Amino acid sequence: MSGLFIGIDVGGTNLKAGAVDGAGRLLAAVRRPLDFRGTEAFADDLADLARAALSAAGAAPGDGAGVGIGLPGAVSGGEVLYTTNIPLERTDLAALFRRRLDLPVLLGNDADCAAVGEYLRGAGRGCRDFVAVTLGTGLGGGIILDGRLRGGEASSEAGHLVTHVGGLPCPCGRRGCWEQYASATALIRQTKAAMAAHPESLLHACAAENGTVDGRTPFQAAEAGDETALAVCRQYVEELAEGTASLINLLRPEAVAFGGGVAAAPEQLLLEPLRRRVGELCFSRHGGRTTRILRAELGNDAGIIGAALLGRVTST
């Protein structure tokens, strides 16, 4: 077996890697906990994980055609400029990796990798201009224009569009950033505030059933007709729509796809009202290209597949 590409997704708590064939199919995937013990040990772990992914696909290390690594932070060429959850800064990670496994290496931002995966194998198939937004602990966005990824040093930070001037403080140093209102973390905060104000709400029973308040909680209670939960969902859609409309007005893509756990919410509570509200806010209501709003299709595999296939949408 030859010509397999390895995609590695560096998450907040886990490392995931997969072997992807030339058609973009994920053949096998492996994972292990992230245990950062320094840059050299981190490079060891990444190379070991790449070998394990090849082995799981029935291939040998020599069958690898290249490696892509998606990281939560900024990259330039083979260098990690900074990451948000591990202490890597101005680190030539590609060179460290190649000392352990001599394969071509590309680095990408994790949201960019998810966008590449969805563009090539998921919701963005057939598009030339495409945006993928990930609703998680933060809010990430990957942008592909005319078939090329806007990545590397020019990687986009969609979550730091300001939707509330003078609003909530953000770790980036600004106030009112979109991710402070439309990430899964923001939705959980909004849900907890509603629960505190409404002890009679079904939100409490849903949270108890799941063992925690998470991104599913308000949608579960809203499906049961709880008015407090419905109000939380409506406000969340409004927050999501504000940033989405700004992205669309700026880029005019063919499609925007939403991923992450929150995006799995029932269509009638999230994407349907989101489409209506974005349609009211977007300049396209006056004419021109209308952007489709979609649910991402690849789930947790998007980052692996996209990292493996980075070379297909970059100019390097």
Side-chain angles (χ1 to χ4, degrees):
M1 186 179 295
S2 62
L4 296 185
F5 298 88
I6 307 304
I8 301 177
D9 185 5
V10 179
T13 57
N14 289 288
L15 301 173
K16 298 178 290 184
V20 175
D21 68 12
R25 293 181 295 248
L26 180 63
L27 304 182
V30 294
R31 70 165 58 206
R32 67 180 54 169
L34 172 63
D35 179 20
F36 188 82
R37 307 177 309 283
T39 55
E40 295 289 339
F42 182 61
D44 287 338
D45 290 344
L46 294 179
D48 288 345
L49 199 64
R51 294 188 189 95
L54 285 168
S55 178
D63 293 325
V67 178
I69 304 173
L71 297 128
V75 302
S76 176
E79 185 179 20
V80 180
L81 302 180
Y82 72 90
T83 57
T84 56
N85 63 338
I86 50 179
L88 286 179
E89 187 172 347
R90 300 289 175 180
T91 301
D92 192 342
L93 184 61
L96 289 170
F97 185 94
R98 293 197 66 175
R99 289 177 200 162
R100 291 148 173 88
L101 184 60
D102 190 18
L103 292 172
V105 179
L106 290 174
L107 305 185
N109 171 268
D110 55 355
D112 288 343
C113 290
V116 172
E118 290 290 340
Y119 172 71
L120 292 173
R121 294 289 299 174
R125 291 189 306 276
C127 294
R128 292 292 292 171
D129 302 322
F130 174 72
V131 178
V133 176
T134 303
L135 306 173
T137 303
L139 190 154
I143 296 172
I144 293 170
L145 297 177
D146 196 25
R148 311 302 291 177
L149 173 67
R150 183 172 172 78
E153 289 181 316
S155 182
S156 300
E157 291 291 343
H160 300 287
L161 288 170
V162 170
T163 57
H164 290 255
V165 175
L168 295 170
C170 181
C172 79
R174 302 186 77 188
R175 301 184 73 92
C177 289
W178 189 24
E179 78 171 24
Q180 295 303 312
Y181 297 88
S183 63
T185 302
L187 178 58
I188 290 168
R189 185 189 69 245
Q190 294 154 10
T191 302
K192 288 180 176 179
M195 291 169 67
H198 296 276
E200 78 287 356
S201 170
L202 284 177
L203 288 166
H204 296 273
C206 290
E209 181 180 340
N210 295 332
T212 186
V213 178
D214 58 24
R216 298 171 295 172
T217 305
F219 295 104
Q220 288 174 332
E223 277 194 293
D226 182 75
E227 287 298 328
T228 300
L230 284 164
V232 171
C233 293
R234 284 193 291 268
Q235 181 59 34
Y236 180 74
V237 167
E238 185 69 24
E239 301 291 359
L240 195 56
E242 285 292 338
T244 302
S246 293
L247 275 179
I248 292 173
N249 284 342
L250 178 65
L251 301 171
R252 305 298 288 271
E254 294 162 78
V256 176
F258 289 89
V262 173
E267 188 99 357
Q268 73 274 13
L269 292 173
L270 182 67
L271 292 186
E272 287 180 7
L274 180 64
R275 291 183 186 113
R276 287 194 296 272
R277 186 61 179 138
V278 169
E280 295 167 354
L281 295 173
C282 277
F283 194 83
S284 59
R285 70 187 183 277
H286 302 298
R289 175 186 280 178
T290 298
T291 299
R292 292 175 290 135
I293 293 178
L294 309 170
R295 195 191 312 274
E297 296 178 3
L298 300 181
N300 292 331
D301 294 335
I304 296 174
I305 295 171
L309 302 179
L310 268 175
R312 299 192 182 180
V313 293
T314 60
S315 56
T316 55

